[in-house]
Amino acid sequence: MAEITLVEAVDLALAYEMQADPSVVILGEDIAKNGGVFRATQGLLDKFGPDRVRDTPLAESMIGGLAIGMAIEGLKPVAEFQFMGFLYPALDQIINHAARIRNRTRGHLSCPVVFRAPFGSGIHAPEHHSESTEALLAHIPGLRVVIPSSPVRAYGLLLASIRDPDPVIFLEPSRLYRFAKQEVEDNGKALPLDKCFTLREGKDITLVTWGAMIKETMAAAEVIVKEGIDVEIIDVATLKPLDMETILSSVEKTGRCVIIHEAPKTGGVGADISAQIAEKALLSLKAPVMRITGYDTIVPYARLEKYYIPSVPQIVDAIKKTMEFA
Amino acid sequence: MKIVAHFEIPYYQILNEAQELVADLPSFAKDPAHLIRLYRLMVLNRLFDAKAIALQRTGKLGTYPSTLGQEAAFVGMGDALSKNDVIVPYYRDVGILIQRGVKLSEILLYWGGDERGNAFANKENFPYSVPVGSQPLHAAGVATAFKIRKEKRAVLTVCGDGGTSEGDFYEAMNVAGVWKLPVVFAVCNNQWAISVPRSEQTAAQTLAQKAIAAGFSGEQVDGNDVIAVRDRVTLALEKAREKSEPTLIEIICYRQNDHTTADDAKRYEKAKVREQEWEKEPIARLRRYLESIKAWSEKEEKELQVTSEAEIEKSVAEYLATPLAPLENMFDYLYATLPESLEEQRELLKQWGNTHG
Ligand SMILES: Cc1ncc(C[n+]2csc(CCOP(=O)(O)OP(=O)(O)O)c2C)c(N)n1
Ligand SMILES: [Mg+2]
C-alpha cells in the first residue's frame, strides 16, 4: 500500500468513483489538462476523457449553477472552486438552489452535487487565498459541510460525499495538502458522514477541532500528554450536520473542553458547539468551554499570516487553564 | 426576413512586427522623446519582472505574476491616462502603476505579502483586484460618480481574457452601456487564463464584440505595438470624458511566461507557439524603429540598462529592508475606529504574537 498525501488522496478517490460510477463528472477551472492548480485532479483527463473531466470558462456562478443542473438531471458532478475565496460568486446558486431543491419540490428533485474547494491560510499564497469561511456555509439549511484532515479521511469522506444524495461542500485544508503522508487503501470504502472521528481517547479533557488545526492541536496534545494530562481529540469532520452525540459523550466523560478552529471566532462553528454543550451538558462541566480561534480580522497577507493561526503554546495554555480551573 | 443589426470589429496597428508603419503616426508619436519615454518604461518593466522572479525563486518574494511580453499593453495604457482619471487595475499592471506614482518597492511589498504594498498614496489608483472579473463593476461605479457630479473625468479598468467570462464583467458592460458611463474596459488578452486557452473561454470570434451586445463600441488593438495601444486608449478615454461613452478595447498580446511563479505552463502550452509569438514582442520592435529614425543608439541602450538595473536594485534593497508591520495592524484597519468588543482580541494577539515559531 502506498503512502500518499491528502491531495493525492483526493485524486485517488475521484479516480475510484469515476471508474465505479459513470455518472460522476468533474468540472472546474484548470482541472483537466493542468490537473488542478494543486494537482488534485491530476491524470483524470487522460483516464476518463474530456466529456467527464471538463475545464470550464472562468466563472464561478456558472460552475455552481451548471453543476446543479447536471445533478438534478441525474449526473453526479464534482465541481472544483479553485480557492474558497473564489466560490462566493456561486453563493446564490448554492444557497438559493442547491440547498433548497429537495425541499422546494417536496422531494421530487434532488441535487447530489459535491463542491470542492481548498481553504485556509499558511501556504504563503496571495490575497484572498487564505480565508476559512466554513461557518458561512455551515449556516445554510440543506447543505452538508465536510472537512477532511488526513489522507485517509480525505479519501473516505470524499467517496461518501460523492455518494451522498444531497449537496456537499467539501473543503480541503490546503495547509495539509502535502503536510503528511499516510497509507491509503484504494478499496472504494467510504467513511461515514455526519460523524466525528475520535483521534485519541483520553479522560481528562476534550479537544474539538477540524481541518488544518488538527496539526497544531496534535502538537499541543503531545506536549500536554507528557505532563500527564490525558487528552481526547475529536476531529469534527462534518461541520453540518453536527455530530453532537460524540462531542457530548466525550465532554460528559472529561468535564472539560477546548475548541480549536482557524476561522474567526465570532459566529464560528465553535460557538455553536460551545452553546450546545452549555445547553445539554452544563452539569458535566468542571470548567468553562474555551475557544482558541483565528481573530475576528481579515487573514493577513503572507508576511504576517502565521501570527493569525492559533499557535501550539496558545493551545497548550488553554488546556492548562481549563485543567486548572477550580 | 430582414437584417436588423450589423457590427464590425476594427483591429488597430500602427507599427507592425516588421517595424513598418502601417498607419499614420498619431501626433504624440511624432515626438521621438515621447517614444523614448515609453521605451524606457517598457525596459524598466521587463527588467523589474526578471528581478521579481529571481527574488521569488530564492524565497524572497511570494507568488508573482510575470508581465513578460505584455509590457506595451500596460505601459501604453499608463501613458494614456490623465492624472485626473481613475485606474481600477487587476494584478498584472506594473507598467501602469509605475506611471501612477506607485514605487517598485511597493509592488514588491504587495507580492511579498504585505498589505502596505496595496496602500497607494494616489487615491485615484484603486488597489489590486485578485478576484477575477469583479473590478469592472467598481469602475462602472466610479464612472457613475463622475456622471452624477458632472465631472469630465474617465476611468480605466483592466482585466484578462479569462475575466471576460465572469458574470460581473457582463454586468459592468451592460450598465455602462445603458447609463452611458465614462469608462474604458481594457481586456489584456494574453491568450491564456492559467491553463485555459482563449478558444475555450468563449466561442465568440473576438472579445471586443462583447461590447456590441452592451450597446457600445469594441475594438482590437495590437498589444505589442505600444504606439497603437497608447493611441487607442487615449482616444477612448477622451470619448469617455467628452461624450460620456464607454469603450471596450481588446489588447491582443501573448503571455510569455507561466501564469505566475506558482504555475508551470509546460503542462499545457506548446513551446513553439510561445517562440513564434516572441517574434512580435514589443520592446525589440520599438527599439528597432527608434534606431531606424536615429533616435536611439547602442550607447543609450547600455546606459538605460545600467540606470534601470540601479533603480531596481535600489527598490529591492528598500523592499528587503522593510520591517514587518506591527502585528496589531491586523485590527487597526478593519473599521474607522476599533469596536470595543475587539480590544480583547487585539490584546491577545500582542500576548501570543511571539509564540508562532
Ligand atoms: C474569481 C476568481 N476565480 C479564480 C481565480 C484564480 N485565478 C487567478 S488568475 C486566473 C486566470 C485569469 O486569467 P485572465 O483573466 O486571462 O488574466 P491573466 O492572468 O491571464 O492576465 C484564475 C483562474 C481568481 N483569482 N478569482
Ligand atoms: Mg489571460
Side-chain angles (χ1 to χ4, degrees):
Chain A
M1 215 187 321
E3 291 216 328
I4 59 172
T5 59
L6 196 155
V7 70
E8 288 165 338
V10 168
D11 202 356
L12 197 64
L14 289 170
Y16 185 94
E17 204 58 7
M18 290 192 80
Q19 189 69 47
D21 180 352
S23 63
V24 177
V25 173
I26 66 169
L27 64 154
E29 294 158 10
D30 305 287
I31 63 124
K33 201 181 256 180
N34 200 29
V37 295
F38 285 104
R39 312 289 176 250
T41 52
Q42 171 128 293
L44 299 178
L45 174 65
D46 287 345
K47 260 187 228 148
F48 301 103
D51 259 356
R52 294 179 64 201
V53 181
R54 307 181 80 96
D55 273 334
T56 64
L58 207 178
E60 291 74 16
S61 181
M62 178 211 69
I63 292 173
L66 203 60
I68 290 167
M70 290 161 73
I72 295 173
E73 183 52 36
L75 293 176
K76 295 212 138 193
V78 182
E80 174 180 298
F81 296 109
Q82 205 160 80
F83 287 86
M84 181 184 234
F86 307 133
L87 76 69
Y88 308 141
L91 281 178
D92 177 43
Q93 293 292 343
I94 294 173
I95 297 173
N96 281 332
H97 296 293
R100 298 169 68 104
I101 191 76
R102 182 183 294 282
N103 185 67
R104 287 172 65 220
T105 62
R106 300 286 93 171
H108 283 293
L109 299 178
S110 64
C111 188
V113 61
V114 178
F115 291 117
R116 298 179 37 245
F119 81 115
S121 65
I123 56 163
H124 298 283
E127 205 177 0
H128 305 289
H129 293 67
S130 309
E131 276 66 22
S132 297
T133 47
E134 65 269 23
L136 205 67
L137 297 154
H139 190 67
I140 304 304
L143 294 182
R144 269 198 170 66
V145 179
V146 178
I147 299 179
S149 65
S150 74
V152 166
R153 286 190 290 285
Y155 180 84
L157 291 173
L158 183 51
L159 286 177
S161 299
I162 302 172
R163 293 170 194 169
D164 190 82
D166 289 308
V168 177
I169 313 286
F170 193 82
L171 301 173
E172 300 159 11
S174 47
R175 190 150 63 91
L176 298 188
Y177 262 157
R178 297 187 169 77
F179 164 64
K181 290 192 171 189
Q182 209 176 15
E183 285 193 354
V184 177
E185 200 179 338
D186 189 16
N187 57 7
K189 277 207 185 124
L191 286 169
L193 298 178
D194 308 353
K195 280 270 172 258
C196 297
F197 293 83
T198 303
L199 305 184
R200 186 186 193 281
E201 289 187 23
K203 59 178 182 0
D204 294 334
I205 185 166
T206 305
L207 307 183
V208 178
T209 187
W210 58 88
M213 286 314 297
I214 287 283
K215 192 173 158 217
E216 285 73 17
T217 303
M218 293 294 231
E222 207 171 302
V223 173
I224 217 79
V225 165
K226 281 193 195 121
E227 298 185 15
I229 299 170
D230 193 15
V231 303
E232 180 143 311
I233 302 175
I234 294 177
D235 173 10
V236 176
T238 302
L239 267 61
K240 170 102 165 201
L242 202 50
D243 168 19
M244 276 312 291
E245 213 179 291
T246 301
I247 296 171
L248 287 172
S249 59
S250 173
V251 172
E252 277 157 13
K253 173 175 70 175
T254 61
R256 302 176 201 268
C257 181
V258 178
I259 302 163
I260 302 114
H261 63 68
E262 185 174 312
K265 189 168 205 169
T266 301
V269 175
D272 203 86
I273 295 173
S274 175
Q276 292 205 49
I277 294 172
E279 284 164 10
K280 293 168 187 159
L282 188 65
L283 298 181
S284 309
L285 287 177
K286 299 176 196 148
V289 175
M290 268 186 94
R291 284 177 292 157
I292 299 298
T293 68
Y295 301 104
D296 287 348
T297 69
I298 289 156
V299 180
Y301 300 176
R303 275 182 124 194
L304 294 184
E305 73 176 334
K306 72 176 180 188
Y307 300 101
Y308 178 85
I309 302 170
S311 73
V312 173
Q314 204 176 341
I315 300 168
V316 168
D317 177 73
I319 297 171
K320 285 188 180 161
K321 282 204 179 102
T322 307
M323 288 306 300
E324 285 156 17
F325 185 87
Chain B
M1 187 273 270
K2 58 181 180 179
I3 304 298
V4 296
H6 294 272
F7 70 90
E8 283 178 341
I9 300 299
Y11 172 83
Y12 292 96
Q13 187 181 50
I14 294 171
L15 182 65
N16 73 7
E17 50 255 56
Q19 298 99 51
E20 297 154 349
L21 292 175
V22 292
D24 291 341
L25 277 180
S27 62
F28 83 88
K30 291 180 182 146
D31 174 12
H34 196 140
L35 294 184
I36 288 172
R37 182 155 59 78
L38 297 179
Y39 180 72
R40 288 175 176 280
L41 284 164
M42 291 200 291
V43 169
L44 180 68
N45 185 356
R46 181 166 296 179
L47 293 172
F48 173 77
D49 201 66
K51 186 71 201 184
I53 290 165
L55 286 172
Q56 192 280 335
R57 297 293 184 226
T58 51
K60 296 187 183 113
L61 193 73
T63 304
Y64 174 80
S66 171
T67 52
L68 186 64
Q70 297 181 236
E71 298 88 351
F74 297 110
V75 166
M77 279 191 271
D79 190 51
L81 282 164
S82 289
K83 219 172 158 193
N84 222 1
D85 295 334
V86 167
I87 171 76
V88 181
Y90 66 144
Y91 44 79
R92 220 182 270 285
D93 331 51
V94 172
I96 299 179
L97 297 177
I98 55 176
Q99 300 182 67
R100 301 278 297 181
V102 177
K103 295 197 292 182
L104 293 177
S105 58
E106 289 181 280
I107 296 171
L108 293 173
L109 209 52
Y110 180 76
W111 296 106
D114 191 317
E115 285 81 350
R116 290 170 296 182
N118 224 347
F120 302 143
N122 178 352
K123 288 189 180 165
E124 313 305 339
N125 299 343
F126 268 49
Y128 296 96
S129 183
V130 171
V132 167
S134 56
Q135 74 282 9
L137 276 169
H138 307 157
V142 169
T144 304
F146 292 162
K147 189 142 188 164
I148 288 172
R149 292 198 303 248
K150 301 195 169 33
E151 293 172 356
K152 286 210 160 183
R153 298 170 67 190
V155 50
L156 171 68
T157 184
V158 192
C159 71
D161 42 311
T164 65
S165 294
E166 291 279 4
D168 282 3
F169 177 81
Y170 292 95
E171 293 168 29
M173 300 255 291
N174 186 56
V175 71
V178 185
W179 286 2
K180 285 192 83 194
L181 296 177
V183 52
V184 177
F185 300 98
V187 175
C188 253
N189 175 2
N190 62 8
Q191 314 302 330
W192 294 98
I194 310 188
S195 70
V196 179
R198 150 66 182 84
S199 58
E200 289 180 37
Q201 214 52 252
T202 169
Q205 202 178 341
T206 69
L207 300 176
Q209 74 203 55
K210 296 192 176 203
I212 307 300
F216 55 92
S217 63
E219 62 186 49
Q220 289 188 334
V221 60
D222 178 356
N224 288 310
D225 175 359
V226 72
I227 300 174
V229 173
R230 193 315 182 157
D231 186 44
R232 295 314 305 174
V233 177
T234 302
L235 291 173
L237 286 166
E238 275 169 16
K239 186 171 79 174
R241 282 183 223 110
E242 298 307 319
K243 296 200 216 150
S244 194
E245 277 178 27
T247 309
L248 171 62
I249 304 183
E250 177 185 358
I251 304 176
I252 310 283
C253 43
Y254 196 84
R255 197 188 75 196
Q256 285 289 343
N257 209 329
D258 298 332
H259 167 70
T260 65
T261 50
D263 177 42
D264 175 13
K266 284 198 282 299
R267 297 171 66 85
Y268 54 80
E269 181 193 18
K270 291 203 181 75
K272 190 117 175 263
V273 178
R274 194 188 279 189
E275 280 163 32
Q276 279 163 4
E277 289 291 332
W278 184 251
E279 297 297 312
K280 305 177 194 160
E281 71 90 10
I283 294 186
R285 185 186 300 192
L286 185 60
R287 179 178 169 186
R288 289 200 206 104
Y289 174 72
L290 288 172
E291 286 169 351
S292 76
I293 60 166
K294 306 271 180 286
W296 195 248
S297 68
E298 189 62 39
K299 181 167 160 275
E300 283 161 306
E301 179 69 24
K302 279 210 180 103
E303 278 171 15
L304 174 60
Q305 298 280 331
V306 173
T307 53
S308 304
E309 292 285 7
E311 183 179 346
I312 291 163
E313 284 310 325
K314 207 176 125 224
S315 73
V316 170
E318 214 172 295
Y319 157 63
L320 293 175
T322 309
L324 291 187
L327 298 190
E328 306 88 81
N329 277 186
M330 255 185 243
F331 287 90
D332 296 341
Y333 302 97
L334 283 174
Y335 303 96
T337 49
L338 188 73
E340 244 179 70
S341 61
L342 281 180
E343 274 163 18
E344 188 187 330
Q345 286 195 17
R346 194 171 179 276
E347 287 307 308
L348 263 185
L349 172 63
K350 280 198 213 160
Q351 182 187 344
W352 292 105
N354 61 357
T355 64
H356 293 263

